[in-house]
Amino acid sequence: MSHSPVRPLVACGMAAFAASVFAQDARPARTNLAPVVVTATRTAQEPFDVAAAIDVVATPPDGTLDVNLSERLQSIPGVVARDRQNYAQDTQISIRGFGARSTFGIRGVRLYTDGIPASMPDGQGQVSHFNLDSADRVEVLRGPFSALYGNASGGVIQLFTADGTEPPEVRLGVAGGSNGNFRVSANARGVEGPIDYNVDVSHFRTSGYRDHSAARRESGNAKLGWQIDDDRKLTLVLNALDVPDAQDPLGLTRAQYQANPRQVASVADTYNTRKSVDQQQAGLIYEQRVNDANSFRVMGYYGQRSVTQYLSIPKATQLSQPGNSGGVVDLGNEYGGGDARWVYSDQLAGRPFELAAGVAYDNQNQHRQGYNNFVGDTLGVRGLLRRDEIDRVYDFDQYAQATWRVADDWTLMGGVRHSTVKFGSKDRFIAKGNPDDSGRVDYSATSPVLGVLYRIAPIAHLYANWGKGFETPTFSELGYRADRGAGLAFDLRPSHSRNAEVGLKLQPRDGTHAEIALFRADSRDELAVATNLGGRTTYQNIARSRRQGVEASLDTTLASNLKLVLAYTHLQATFRSPFLTCVSAGCAAPDTPVAAGTRIPGVPRSNGYAALRYGAERGWQAGIDANAMGATSVNDLGTESAPGYVVFGLSGGYVTERDHWRINTFARVDNIADRHTIGSVIVNDGNGRYYEPAPGRTFLVGVDLRWKE
């Protein structure tokens, strides 16, 4: 009989929560400032009073590498954030099963930094430019209210850069450890008259756990605020990222993983698979309070992102197919847009009422070129041009969202968003055997959401909500037709979902917060793989699918300077309709049946996190944590899966303050038992290389310095 590796964490959590509640009168309460979030309602609210599942993660505890967003999201239920140990691909993130099918980038989840989209209008995004050194907090919204952010809103993740501080601070950090990991960062933040600033630069490099996985990342972030007067503020956000020639080790088959998890597929070395990214972005935000009841906010942004990626498509495949787009992808992106929002906060029928209404426009122009990845017998270099097109996608959305406290114990929330998403492609490479692929396709949807919160008692709030959402195909999924004809895959339809959740939020005492939520999302026209042929993946719509489950979390102070954090998710994600799919790289048409009830790949049955931390502002720090992941199916047939696991970590350090200095020295050990585990999966890989191994036992040491005037 098999057992989930997550169940022991759940049992420990129940016991710890009971002990926390019943012990509340045995020690004095601690006064903590309640966190404030804006992602759920677009106005400042305490999470405890919001009729939705939303969490805020502040600056992580001292002693982490803090390079990947996955380090910040471990304690949030419903979220699976996998560090792929592959910097040629982005962090793999899914929320309640949405976004799990993505083999690169992030889809199905909306991403923002300081209110500026990090997701493109087609729904594909990335978090590689998220600057964690300068961040104040990360907010994660799950469930129906995510739909009010438009296309592909299976959830919303938003990072907020910290404002300048008074007195000014300078922060320096250095950390290094196993596999050649090294991070150095410098940050300055402060206030000078009406100007506040937060400027950060960071450098990270790694040799990689696996062969052929070395990478380097340079990033910079600046947030400059100008308080024009008491009612007006202007904020400038600048961001830059450079990732040159990050090596891509690709995935492994099960046999390769079992033989040597550090190895790479031979084609990775043969074609020197790698990826380079260069991005610059600027955003400007203007906020004005008109009077006590009215205010408005206008945001505009513009960015450029270039990507060059060398793939492992065989030379013979490219030579034998006139329409093949080659093994080198060269993308030049220009993107931008804006959001204008009016907020009204007063009373309606004598009760507190808030309304936010606005319009949003986002545009992406992409110059996509493809080249052979060979010249003669030399492989892994740029060869002849095989693809040249201009792709454009833009959205234009209108939204309104209201919160009304209709009685002391009752709050109603509701909203609606209308979205229009338009794709167009102009083929500039037309040759014999490669006809004109130009075309366009438009999508639109209206997404309503309703919610209610009931205050059972001062310590317990019950909520429920319901809404509709939708997700268009991305340009990557529209790029090829399953029938191998010319043009975009016009036959693909957007996926529409109906989402519902009910939850209970508890704050039995100061310093303790617990939540439990039941959720269900029924989707029609789910996107799944149709064919894999010659390095091209095509997609199809599946009639019905379902994601349902339960998530729970606890954050509590057990004793003086001793904190416990727990999170658990159980998720059933299945196809509800049968369909045909491909099972091999040479499959030209779907021919293998997938039964109704088959698990959606990339979604673990359960996952959990537990951490016990000791430490005050100064002195010794210590912690132990556990990450658990259930078995994860890797293909639509459900014939293979990554096994579940539990890994433990230990951390410790010492913090001292002298005059103007705060000095934190720290050390950490991850995967103490040195277990071999699958860190992430590549869903439906046509070559059966589904598995991306995670490191065994690793070490990290470092020091963070802060200087204040």
Side-chain angles (χ1 to χ4, degrees):
M1 181 178 180
S2 63
H3 296 278
S4 167
V6 186
R7 290 179 184 172
L9 296 184
V10 180
C12 292
M14 295 297 184
F17 178 59
S20 173
V21 173
F22 287 112
Q24 59 180 305
D25 295 327
R27 57 184 179 274
R30 297 176 61 183
T31 301
N32 297 316
L33 293 176
V36 173
V37 296
V38 298
T39 303
T41 63
R42 292 188 169 88
T43 61
Q45 302 275 353
E46 292 184 15
F48 190 53
D49 278 325
V50 175
I54 184 167
D55 284 273
V56 56
V57 181
T59 302
D62 293 323
T64 60
L65 191 60
D66 208 24
V67 168
N68 299 300
L69 185 62
S70 56
E71 297 176 74
R72 297 277 185 114
L73 302 181
Q74 299 175 85
S75 62
I76 299 180
V79 178
V80 175
R82 300 178 186 263
D83 177 6
R84 309 182 72 159
Q85 297 294 309
N86 180 352
Y87 290 91
Q89 307 293 347
D90 216 329
T91 301
Q92 195 173 59
I93 298 177
S94 63
I95 295 181
R96 293 182 176 177
F98 288 97
R101 78 173 185 276
S102 178
T103 56
F104 60 90
I106 298 170
R107 305 175 200 176
V109 176
R110 296 294 296 183
L111 307 168
Y112 292 85
T113 58
D114 296 306
I116 300 169
S119 295
M120 294 296 101
D122 66 346
Q124 182 169 316
Q126 59 279 320
V127 294
S128 54
H129 67 292
F130 276 30
N131 188 287
L132 301 179
D133 292 326
S134 58
D136 172 64
R137 69 189 190 280
V138 178
E139 296 180 10
V140 180
L141 173 64
R142 312 179 298 284
F145 274 92
S146 303
L148 294 180
Y149 282 83
N151 177 27
S153 296
V156 179
I157 298 176
Q158 183 157 198
L159 178 142
F160 292 89
T161 304
D163 293 331
T165 58
E166 181 63 45
E169 290 185 14
V170 174
R171 303 184 181 193
L172 301 172
V174 179
S178 303
N179 304 315
N181 288 340
F182 177 75
R183 181 262 296 168
V184 59
S185 61
N187 179 272
R189 57 185 73 178
V191 177
E192 294 291 340
I195 305 297
D196 72 272
Y197 60 90
N198 183 340
V199 180
D200 186 274
V201 292
S202 65
H203 164 83
F204 169 73
R205 69 171 183 260
T206 179
S207 301
Y209 164 66
R210 297 173 58 198
D211 298 335
H212 195 76
S213 62
R216 179 168 61 87
R217 178 191 292 175
E218 318 282 354
S219 67
N221 193 77
K223 179 181 176 182
L224 307 173
W226 176 25
Q227 192 69 51
I228 302 171
D229 54 36
D230 290 342
D231 297 324
R232 296 179 297 163
K233 184 174 183 179
L234 190 65
T235 303
L236 175 66
V237 181
L238 303 172
N239 185 277
L241 171 73
D242 182 31
V243 183
D245 290 326
Q247 294 178 327
D248 187 350
L250 307 178
L252 298 178
T253 65
R254 176 62 68 93
Q256 290 171 328
Y257 162 69
Q258 291 174 337
N260 177 12
R262 303 190 75 149
Q263 70 172 307
V264 299
S266 60
V267 291
D269 287 323
T270 301
Y271 288 93
N272 188 19
T273 50
R274 61 198 186 275
K275 181 179 179 181
S276 296
V277 178
D278 183 43
Q279 176 175 316
Q280 302 84 36
Q281 178 177 290
L284 192 62
I285 304 167
Y286 176 75
E287 299 167 284
Q288 179 171 342
R289 186 178 71 92
V290 179
N291 53 41
D292 290 342
N294 294 277
S295 62
F296 65 88
R297 173 187 179 275
V298 179
M299 180 275 295
Y301 70 99
Y302 173 79
Q304 294 180 319
R305 181 180 175 92
S306 62
V307 178
T308 304
Q309 185 166 15
Y310 288 76
L311 306 175
S312 60
I313 298 175
K315 175 181 176 181
T317 299
Q318 298 168 71
L319 289 174
S320 64
Q321 298 175 2
N324 192 284
S325 58
V328 179
V329 179
D330 189 340
L331 303 177
N333 291 282
E334 292 187 33
Y335 59 92
D339 181 284
R341 181 187 313 160
W342 165 70
V343 176
Y344 173 79
S345 180
D346 204 342
Q347 290 194 341
L348 179 63
R351 307 298 304 182
F353 176 77
E354 291 185 336
L355 172 66
V359 294
Y361 171 81
D362 304 288
N363 177 71
Q364 178 189 13
N365 279 294
Q366 177 176 269
H367 186 192
R368 176 185 288 268
Q369 294 178 297
Y371 299 84
N372 288 335
N373 58 2
F374 62 90
V375 175
D377 293 329
T378 304
L379 307 179
V381 296
R382 183 179 301 215
L384 294 176
L385 180 69
R386 300 295 298 271
R387 184 177 187 178
D388 187 0
E389 66 191 42
I390 303 296
D391 296 331
R392 185 191 179 200
V393 56
Y394 73 89
D395 63 37
F396 179 59
D397 291 14
Q398 309 85 45
Y399 61 87
Q401 186 172 352
T403 303
W404 187 21
R405 187 159 181 169
V406 295
D408 288 343
D409 296 334
W410 293 89
T411 294
L412 299 180
M413 287 177 58
V416 64
R417 185 174 184 122
H418 179 264
S419 301
T420 300
V421 186
K422 297 190 176 186
F423 294 81
S425 180
K426 177 61 177 177
D427 193 352
R428 308 202 308 185
F429 187 82
I430 302 171
K432 184 179 179 180
N434 187 12
D436 190 349
D437 293 331
S438 301
R440 58 176 295 127
V441 62
D442 301 345
Y443 302 104
S444 63
T446 299
S447 303
V449 182
L450 295 171
V452 59
L453 182 137
Y454 172 53
R455 297 168 181 82
I456 303 172
I459 67 167
H461 291 178
L462 180 69
Y463 71 92
N465 52 55
W466 173 92
K468 295 181 178 181
F470 87 112
E471 179 181 1
T472 71
T474 66
F475 250 125
S476 298
E477 293 151 344
L478 287 170
Y480 305 109
R481 289 170 47 172
D483 63 4
R484 288 177 286 175
L488 297 176
F490 297 112
D491 58 328
L492 289 181
R493 299 178 298 276
S495 174
H496 292 266
S497 61
R498 294 175 181 265
N499 309 285
E501 72 176 348
V502 58
L504 179 64
K505 302 184 179 187
L506 301 172
Q507 286 187 350
R509 64 180 180 87
D510 210 18
T512 295
H513 180 82
E515 288 191 34
I516 185 169
L518 304 174
F519 59 88
R520 175 167 157 175
D522 288 302
S523 301
R524 70 178 191 273
D525 293 328
E526 177 94 16
L527 282 173
V529 169
T531 67
N532 277 298
L533 184 65
R536 289 184 170 183
T537 301
T538 67
Y539 295 84
Q540 61 182 324
N541 292 107
I542 307 305
R544 294 185 299 121
S545 61
R546 175 175 295 169
R547 297 165 174 86
Q548 61 183 5
V550 58
E551 57 190 32
S553 63
L554 169 67
D555 189 323
T556 185
T557 302
L558 295 177
S560 179
N561 301 330
L562 186 63
K563 186 174 184 178
L564 175 69
V565 178
L566 297 170
Y568 170 74
T569 305
H570 178 74
L571 177 59
Q572 296 175 332
T574 56
F575 297 113
R576 306 297 292 176
S577 301
F579 62 98
L580 298 177
T581 190
C582 286
V583 296
S584 65
C587 176
D591 57 5
T592 305
V594 177
T598 303
R599 291 170 57 194
I600 296 176
V603 183
R605 291 184 185 274
S606 58
N607 64 285
Y609 174 77
L612 186 64
R613 301 178 184 129
Y614 169 81
E617 289 293 321
R618 295 180 295 275
W620 290 106
Q621 316 281 314
I624 182 170
D625 55 71
N627 276 284
M629 193 71 67
T632 304
S633 176
V634 297
N635 57 13
D636 287 341
L637 289 176
T639 55
E640 286 201 44
S641 63
Y645 61 84
V646 179
V647 293
F648 294 88
L650 282 174
S651 61
Y654 189 81
V655 178
T656 184
E657 292 186 2
R658 294 183 178 180
D659 299 326
H660 299 287
W661 289 94
R662 180 182 186 271
I663 304 171
N664 171 40
T665 55
F666 59 87
R668 181 172 177 83
V669 183
D670 281 302
N671 194 358
I672 300 170
D674 198 25
R675 295 192 60 188
H676 286 172
T677 63
I678 302 295
S680 62
V681 298
I682 304 173
V683 172
N684 287 315
D685 183 84
N687 297 291
R689 297 193 293 259
Y690 304 116
Y691 307 104
E692 294 185 296
R697 186 185 301 115
T698 59
F699 302 88
L700 175 74
V701 295
V703 58
D704 287 330
L705 308 175
R706 294 186 192 178
W707 179 87
K708 287 185 179 182
E709 284 189 1

